[in-house]
Amino acid sequence: MYSKITQKYRAKLSRNFRLMFFVQAFQNVRTINIVVALFYLSRGLSLSQVFYLSIIWAVVNILFEVPSSYLADRWGRKKTIILSSFLYLTNCVLLIFSHSFLMFGLCIFFYSLASACLSGTDEALVYDTSRELGQKDDSLRRLGQYYAAEKIFKILTPLLGAFIAKDLSDYQFIVLLIIDSVASFIALVIPFFITEPKHHLEVEKIEAGIMVDAIKLVKNNPNLMRATCNRALGFTAVFIIWRYHQELFTHIGVSILTLGIGWSIFNFLITLLNYQIHRFWPNKSLTTKINFLNFLTIILVGLFVIAWYFNVHYYWILTLYFLINITENARWPIFADLFNKYSNSFNRATTLSLSNLIKSIFDIPLLVVSGLLVTRGLIYPAYFTFIIILISSIIFYLPKKVKIEN
């Protein structure tokens, strides 16, 4: 039972939603993303090495995802978010001076460590703030708005990035990285004003151990495990194409400016969708919504592969690609609400990060295979994406109704 809180403290807590919105927004400016694969290639990396950088990301996540969120549960979520912002700023600055696989690997190390510190921790802070304010039933709306923050600046930054880097020169890449560094510095300042919500620790649960309890929750709950694997494989499958999509589309005649316009439209649509996600199918369960979006993703990826095979005009192929990303991205606030409902206040960040840990374990073999497939032809990783999504949606199909004890 949550105790009554003062009006002043309530106002400070309520401010957390706005502050976390802008932490997420400024950490996701990332103007370099519109040309990131081409940036790597211009500095001497091969397409296979671009995939291998993502493997480094996955390994770092395996090593630090759970410890970083264990730190958040013990040390404080506010402090851990500040640490995440600092690590991300380090990544942005180092990228400016990177010209080798080793240096890019170091950048990815800091980037992945920053993500490990933020993931789970951010959702836990938003969710616990809602609970302490007595707004537990409003959690999907709050999480949807938080996920919308990830895309809010990206409504414009892809177009800005495409315009600045239209000639793909190194000077233009550096300008984008400077913009990202300034944005990440702002993201570092904002969390200093966050008010830490109470975790509501219970003595017997402390004695059981935060880590042990969180691991037991995932291990002993088959529905949570199914949801975790479903989310992880769906994300990685779509990420495989994203990892090299600039090279894929420029190869068939799509300009960087067209990609920029496409990503701006996509981010506008997904921002609106996530911001209003709580209004869609209000009488349907969370798992029903996820299964429906998985089904749409399977159809769209299948159409993408068929369109490529039959040499359909690239505008249609590009449109299908963005629709794939919309359906996959729309799942995230729904998954976030589901996972938060499964976990407990005192170990919420650790529990959420355990699900991200499982994703990283899947990432390693899938990205290794993708790195090998891309050497045989640009479309082969897309075939692999279809297989992954189809199999994961069948094997890890979510029951329409699940028992949530929290």
Side-chain angles (χ1 to χ4, degrees), residues 15-16 31 39 43 69 83 94 134 173 187 190 193 201 218 221 232 262 270 274 322 341-342 367 401 403:
R15 191 174 59 181
N16 282 354
T31 57
F39 166 64
R43 291 200 173 182
S69 289
L83 177 61
L94 282 179
F173 292 141
I190 293 172
F193 300 96
L201 298 171
V218 175
N221 192 323
I270 200 64
N274 282 340
F322 285 122
K341 283 180 166 60
Y342 271 125
L367 290 169
K401 293 184 179 180
K403 183 179 179 182

Side-chain angles (χ1 to χ4, degrees), residues 155-174:
I155 294 172
L156 295 177
T157 55
L159 192 56
L160 174 65
F163 179 77
I164 292 175
K166 59 183 182 296
D167 299 321
L168 302 178
S169 70
D170 197 60
Y171 169 76
Q172 292 168 344
F173 292 141
I174 291 174

Side-chain angles (χ1 to χ4, degrees), residues 20 35 42 193 374:
M20 285 304 301
V35 289
S42 74
F193 300 96
V374 79

